[in-house]
Every structure is written in C-alpha cells, then in structure tokens.
Amino acid sequence: MNETQLALLLFIVVFLPIFYISGRRVQEGNFPDLRPIPAFDALRGVMARAIETGRRVHVGLGIGGISGYMTADSLAGLSVLEYLANQSAATGVPPLVTMADPTLLIAAQDVMRRPYRDDWGEAANAMRHARWIAPEPAAYAAGVLGMLGSEAVDANVLIGAFGDEYLLLGEAANRKKISSVGGASDPNVLPFVFASADYALMGEDMYAAGAYLAQKPWHIGSLLAQDLMRWVIVATIIVLVVIKSLI
Amino acid sequence: MVNRILSTVVAMAVGLLVLADFFVNSNLVDTLGLYLIRTASVVAAFALVFGMINVLTVHLGKIYSRDKGWGYSMVLLGALFFTLGIGILTGGPASPQVQGLFETVLFPLEATLFSLLAFFTVTAAYRAFRVKSFETGLFVAAGIIVLLGQVPVAAMLWDQLPVIKDWMLDVPALAGARGILLGVALGTLATGLRVLLGIDRPYVD
C-alpha cells in the first residue's frame, strides 16, 4: 500500500465513526444550529417568485456527469434540483434543466419525475423540461445562452461542475437582469461565481444542499462530521509543523 | 420494495468493490474493478443515445409548434444529421473528414466563444469591484495590487509592488485555494460515503 492509499484509508477510518455518531445524534433529534447561507435562503424563494412573475427557473447542472471525478458536484446540483422539482410539483411549473453530460440527463429526468409518482402524464411532462444541450463546454454554453435569450426566465441557478463557461452563463443572466444563484467547487471558477452571481455557494457550501434545503438528518450529520474532521486536519497540520520545526 | 432493496444492494456492492480495487492489489479485485468501470463506460455510451433522442424531441417539438427560434432548431438538426452521416459514411469519428469538420468548424467556433471571456471578465470585474462590504473591499484591494503588479511600469513607480503581488499570489491566495480544496475534499468524501452506505440513493424512488 502506497502513501496515498494509506492516507485515504486512514482518512476514511477516522471519518466513518465521526460521521455515524453525528448522523445518529441528529436522527435522535439533536439538530444543531446551521450558520445562515444566503444562497440557500434565496433558493427557497425562487420557485414562488417565478410563479408570481409567470416565468421559468433555469437550473444549469454544468459539464460534469455521474461517472467521473466531478460526480460529487453533479450530485450537489441534483440535490438542489430535487428541492426545486418538489416545489414545482405543487405549482405545476417545472424548472428548465440543462446539462452537458448525457449521464446527468437520465439522473435529472429521474429527479424531475419523482414528485409525480402516481401521475404518468405529469411525470412525462416534467421530464420533458430536462434538456441535454451538448457535450462540449463551449457548445453547452452557447446552447444555454441561446435558451436564456429565447425563454422567459426569472432565475438562473447554476450549481454543479463548471469551468470557464460559467462566466459566459452568469454574465448573460446578469445582462438580462435575471437573478442568479451560483455554486462551484473549482477554485479557478470561484472568482467567476463571486463576481457574477447574486448569491454564491463557494466550494463545500454546495454539498450542503441536502442539509439546508431538505433538512435530511444524515446530511446534517455529515456536515458536523466534516467540521470535526476539519479541526482534526488543522490540529494535525499545526502539530506536524511544530514537530518539523523542532527537529 | 424488492426493486428498491435490490438496487441498493447492487449499488453498494459495486461501489465497495471499486473502492476496494483502489486499496487492494489482487488480480481478482483488479479484474472485477476494471470490468465494472468498463461497464460504466458502456452505460455512458447508451446515455449519449438518450441525449440525442432528447435533442431530437426538443427541437422537433420547437419546429412543429413554430416556437421562437425554430429556424435555429432546423439548422441544429441539419448539422447533427450531416455530421452523423459523414461519420457513418467515412468510417467513424477518427476519419479525416470528421476530424476536418471538427478542426474547421467546431474548434474555431469554440475559440471564438471563449475569446469573449476577456470582455465578460471586465464586466464581471466592474460589478464585483463595487465596494459593498468588507469582503468586497478586500477583493478590490487584492485585485488592484495584483493588476498593478503585473504591469512593468508599476515596478518603476514602486519596486516592491511586484514583490507584494507575488507574495499575495503565493501565500494568501494559495492558502485560500488549499483551504477551499480541503473543504471540497471533505464534502466529496461525505457525499461519496453517503451514496456508498446507501444513505443517499439517487438511483431509487
């Protein structure tokens, strides 16, 4: 076993019990106070506002798929979509969903179908609003730009795996005065998110959608575990720096 | 119910096996892991067919109902069938004709679109540089120092400016990026474990 494998194994071995204990505590009703994240507050209101204005909500899931190194980002986008799709089931106006990877199309269609479990007609209608644009980032951006220009869109939610094309989409929404919520994990893309989105989910905030929007106990538990692990890592770094400096 | 349990068991077993493949050096586990990863590639290829059906459905619907921009939909479908036809007739995506199509049409169009990024960056920076809070104040200060530090004339104004710029990029910016990456790694690990342990089941109702 090499150093990377050993480090990852150690990481998982330490993380698993913390994750389990935190999740159990939340399941028993010990809900912690979560720090406010304005982007999630904004997401709670986008569907209602879209209904009032008679416009649509665009959810861009980015260029990642569900079978690669960007899977976690895509799943974060799907968590947000799940929340918006559940809300839209009550209002009857499904969000307009776009993505660049066809594997994510199937997952997104499934998420949009779920609120209408017993109504095949409505489920098929909701699935129709998930659109695969193109596999190339530039072509995806061009397709979404065209769509933002032709459809009546009230809010632009871009959460998932994005590259430089994020700025093209974010700025296009800004020029049309469309309110926007953005989220990405790539540090090179975060300045674009910060500069162009009204509400930004920076880095790991994006993965907290299940905890903040759906209040899922195991998601809240995993947030607690992540915080604890962060302190463990910070303490380890400090101790190692001190040891290295003394030797 | 059976479907739900079966899906969860299969997903957990496959996930754990591929994870084990990362840690264990065994021929059997390696072969199984590789087989499963290749199977995922085949599934992804099928997804591309679903994607194409989705494109056809959306754009044929637009053409049929004469929606706004239906002419563009016709161009898109024409380009799709033309490329598909060239690919089938000339022996696949590696043929010189298909490669030529990509090199003379797609790549220049992509380059053109991404060249717009420079202008978009300026408008985004203009908006971001409006000082509304302490954070945006720091953002603006850092932006100005780094921008000035890149310009040769700045060194003539004050020779320490490029040094400060380098320090800002190498110390606070790099530390911030590493902090973000650490958080992302923890978030990714938590997401992966939730799927692996069957807590999150995006594949079942």
Side-chain angles (χ1 to χ4, degrees):
Chain A
M1 202 176 269
N2 63 33
E3 269 181 27
T4 312
Q5 288 170 322
L6 198 66
L8 186 64
L9 188 64
L10 189 72
F11 206 71
I12 292 173
V13 167
V14 176
F15 188 80
L16 262 179
I18 300 173
F19 175 53
Y20 179 76
I21 294 165
S22 308
R24 290 295 302 173
R25 276 181 61 81
V26 178
Q27 262 201 328
E28 286 161 9
N30 298 312
F31 279 86
D33 287 330
L34 300 175
R35 74 181 163 88
I37 297 180
F40 288 125
D41 295 335
L43 280 170
R44 286 190 193 97
V46 290
M47 287 311 295
R49 220 184 56 196
I51 301 297
E52 282 172 16
T53 56
R55 289 162 174 259
R56 309 283 300 275
V57 173
H58 167 244
V59 181
L61 298 175
I63 57 171
I66 52 167
S67 60
Y69 68 98
M70 296 180 193
T71 304
D73 291 12
S74 301
L75 289 177
L78 286 177
S79 287
V80 172
L81 176 63
E82 185 183 11
Y83 175 77
L84 296 176
N86 284 333
Q87 280 202 326
S88 76
T91 59
V93 186
L96 209 52
V97 187
T98 61
M99 71 293 294
D101 190 303
T103 57
L104 199 54
L105 168 71
I106 299 167
Q109 284 183 328
D110 193 46
V111 167
M112 292 181 75
R113 173 191 63 81
R114 280 186 203 169
Y116 308 98
R117 205 174 296 170
D118 303 322
D119 190 338
W120 285 94
E122 284 294 324
N125 179 48
M127 284 164 70
R128 217 166 41 82
H129 296 276
R131 294 181 189 176
W132 178 61
I133 303 292
E136 294 293 322
Y140 169 67
V144 176
L145 287 177
M147 212 188 65
L148 288 175
S150 62
E151 302 271 352
V153 175
D154 181 66
N156 188 34
V157 179
L158 300 173
I159 296 178
F162 285 95
D164 293 342
E165 69 285 346
Y166 182 94
L167 190 62
L168 297 173
L169 307 179
E171 279 302 288
N174 275 324
R175 277 205 313 279
K176 290 202 78 185
K177 309 269 186 247
I178 297 170
S179 72
S180 56
V181 180
S185 65
D186 185 346
N188 295 318
V189 180
L190 288 176
F192 294 158
V193 178
F194 182 78
S196 64
D198 296 323
Y199 301 96
L201 289 169
M202 310 294 265
E204 65 183 304
D205 288 355
M206 202 170 72
Y207 307 118
Y212 276 80
L213 296 174
Q215 299 279 309
K216 292 178 183 172
W218 282 100
H219 284 242
I220 298 173
S222 76
L223 282 188
L224 290 175
Q226 283 167 244
D227 272 356
L228 212 63
M229 275 303 284
R230 197 188 331 273
W231 284 110
V232 170
I233 291 168
V234 169
T236 310
I237 290 171
I238 291 170
V239 168
L240 289 176
V241 167
V242 170
I243 292 171
K244 184 81 178 166
S245 306
L246 291 176
I247 292 171
Chain B
M1 186 65 184
V2 175
N3 184 23
R4 199 181 162 93
I5 294 169
L6 196 68
S7 310
T8 309
V9 169
V10 170
M12 285 174 70
V14 169
L16 286 170
L17 197 73
V18 175
L19 185 68
D21 183 31
F22 180 76
F23 291 113
V24 182
N25 286 326
S26 147
N27 279 340
L28 179 68
V29 177
D30 284 352
T31 312
L32 275 171
L34 195 65
Y35 172 74
L36 290 168
I37 290 166
R38 280 183 181 160
T39 309
S41 306
V42 175
V43 173
F46 272 108
L48 201 62
V49 177
F50 277 109
M52 228 175 86
I53 293 169
N54 181 270
V55 169
L56 285 174
T57 314
V58 168
H59 290 279
L60 284 175
K62 277 182 106 172
I63 294 167
Y64 180 74
S65 54
R66 295 287 193 271
D67 277 354
K68 189 180 170 189
W70 65 273
Y72 297 121
S73 295
M74 283 189 74
V75 173
L76 187 141
L77 292 184
L80 192 152
F81 286 117
F82 179 73
T83 313
L84 193 69
I86 294 275
I88 290 169
L89 293 174
T90 59
S95 74
Q97 288 82 357
V98 175
Q99 288 300 315
L101 207 60
F102 273 67
E103 280 164 20
T104 53
V105 180
L106 189 70
F107 296 158
L109 284 174
E110 285 185 354
T112 308
L113 193 68
F114 276 120
S115 68
L116 293 173
L117 272 179
F119 302 103
F120 280 65
T121 307
V122 173
T123 56
Y126 171 72
R127 198 173 312 101
F129 277 17
R130 281 178 297 189
V131 181
K132 292 175 284 187
S133 61
F134 177 67
E135 283 90 349
T136 46
L138 282 178
F139 192 75
V140 172
I144 289 170
I145 291 170
V146 173
L147 273 175
L148 284 177
Q150 308 269 29
V151 186
V153 76
M156 287 154 63
L157 291 173
W158 185 31
D159 61 352
Q160 287 302 301
L161 213 50
V163 180
I164 296 172
K165 183 264 296 181
D166 286 341
W167 177 84
M168 285 185 72
L169 290 178
D170 292 343
V171 183
L174 195 61
R178 283 180 180 167
I180 289 168
L181 285 174
L182 199 66
V184 168
L186 283 168
T188 306
L189 183 70
T191 306
L193 283 177
R194 283 200 308 263
V195 175
L196 207 59
L197 300 173
I199 295 165
D200 274 359
R201 283 172 287 189
Y203 41 83
V204 290
D205 285 341

